Amino acid sequence: MHGWIQKLWKSRISSSAPREQEAKVTELISNSASSSSPSLSTSPAKPPQPGLSSLPRWRRKYDVLVCHSAEHRDINEASRLVSFLEASPRSLRCFLMQRDACPGGAISTELCQAVQDSHLRALLITPDFLRDDWCQYMMHQVLSEGPMSNRIIPLVQDLSHSEYPPELRFYYYINLGGDRASGYARVTMTVLKYFEDLDKNEKTLEEQHGQP
C-alpha cells in the first residue's frame, strides 16, 4: 500500500504539467464520441436528459466514482474518462482519487467516504488493477456497498475474458480496449439510464404514498 500511495502522490505532481496536451486529447475523444452517437448531441434544441435534474440525483455528492490502479497508464485512462463525463453536455459529477481526495486524509477513509457519496462506481479493470492489493480492496469495498445492484460499472481494458474477476461474474462489463469513444458513450448512457430509472422509482413511490 505504501508503494501505491507514493505513486498516487507522484501522479498528483506530474499530472499538472501536460495539461494542455491532455486537454487536446480529451477534446478529440469528446468530439469523436459526440459525432458518433446521436444521444450525445450538443444541439441546443435537444431536451435535457430525464433524471439529471431530479431531486434523487442531488442527494449524493458525486454521480460516478472511478476506481483505478496507480499505474501511469491507468491514471491517464481514468482522467480521460472523467474529463469526458464532466464535459458539456454531460456535465456529470465525478470523483477521481488523485484529484479529489482531501490532502492529509487517510486513503482508505477518503475512498470509503467517496463510495458513500457516489451514485455509481466505475471500476477500471486492467492487469495492473488485478495485481494491486489496494485495488482489490477498492473493488471489494464497492461490492460490499452494493452487491448485485445496478450501481457498479466494470470497465475492462487489456484484459481477456478469462481474466475477468470472478467477483464480478454477474456484471456485464464495457470493453475500452477497442473504440474508446464508443466505450465512453456507453458509460454515459449507463449513467443516464440509472438516473432515469431512479427518477421514475421516486415518482412511483410518491404516487403510492399520495404525495403531490
Side-chain angles (χ1 to χ4, degrees):
M1 184 179 295
H2 179 68
W4 198 96
I5 296 174
Q6 285 184 323
K7 291 177 181 178
L8 181 62
W9 176 248
K10 290 179 180 179
S11 70
R12 281 185 169 181
I13 298 175
S14 61
S15 61
S16 61
R19 289 187 182 277
E20 183 177 350
Q21 180 179 1
E22 181 69 21
K24 292 180 180 179
V25 174
T26 302
E27 182 179 359
L28 288 174
I29 295 172
S30 179
N31 291 340
S32 174
S34 298
S35 62
S36 62
S37 176
S39 64
L40 300 180
S41 172
T42 58
S43 171
K46 185 181 177 64
Q49 291 288 344
L52 287 186
S53 58
S54 65
L55 180 61
R57 180 194 178 196
W58 301 103
R59 290 173 183 163
R60 294 181 186 268
K61 186 176 181 180
Y62 303 105
D63 298 323
V64 185
L65 161 71
V66 180
C67 295
H68 57 87
S69 83
E71 290 300 317
H72 187 67
R73 57 184 176 181
D74 288 0
I75 291 174
N76 286 343
E77 184 64 47
S79 297
R80 284 191 291 264
L81 172 62
V82 167
S83 294
F84 178 85
L85 296 176
E86 292 180 337
S88 178
R90 296 164 292 278
S91 302
L92 297 174
R93 303 165 301 156
C94 300
F95 179 90
L96 194 60
M97 193 69 174
Q98 78 270 13
R99 183 193 67 181
D100 300 315
C102 179
I107 290 181
S108 58
T109 302
E110 290 293 312
L111 173 65
C112 291
Q113 186 61 52
V115 169
Q116 293 286 345
D117 290 342
S118 302
H119 282 284
L120 296 120
R121 298 81 185 248
L123 305 176
L124 179 57
I125 306 172
T126 66
D128 292 315
F129 183 99
L130 297 179
R131 286 192 291 264
D132 195 316
D133 291 337
W134 178 249
C135 289
Q136 295 296 309
Y137 170 81
M138 289 195 292
M139 179 175 67
H140 288 103
Q141 181 65 30
V142 168
L143 284 169
S144 69
E145 292 294 330
M148 299 302 295
S149 74
N150 63 339
R151 298 176 64 185
I152 300 176
I153 308 176
L155 309 173
V156 171
Q157 190 173 60
D158 301 326
L159 203 71
S160 67
H161 181 73
S162 62
E163 296 174 298
Y164 188 60
E167 296 93 332
L168 301 174
R169 62 186 179 277
F170 296 114
Y171 293 89
Y172 286 110
Y173 59 79
I174 297 175
N175 192 342
L176 298 181
D179 184 352
R180 179 181 283 126
S182 176
Y184 287 5
R186 289 188 63 193
V187 174
T188 302
M189 289 186 288
T190 300
V191 176
L192 296 179
K193 180 64 165 59
Y194 168 85
F195 283 123
E196 184 178 352
D197 291 342
L198 189 67
D199 188 48
K200 289 180 180 178
N201 292 338
E202 180 84 359
K203 291 178 179 177
T204 299
L205 290 175
E206 290 177 355
E207 291 175 357
Q208 291 176 348
H209 290 82
Q211 297 180 11

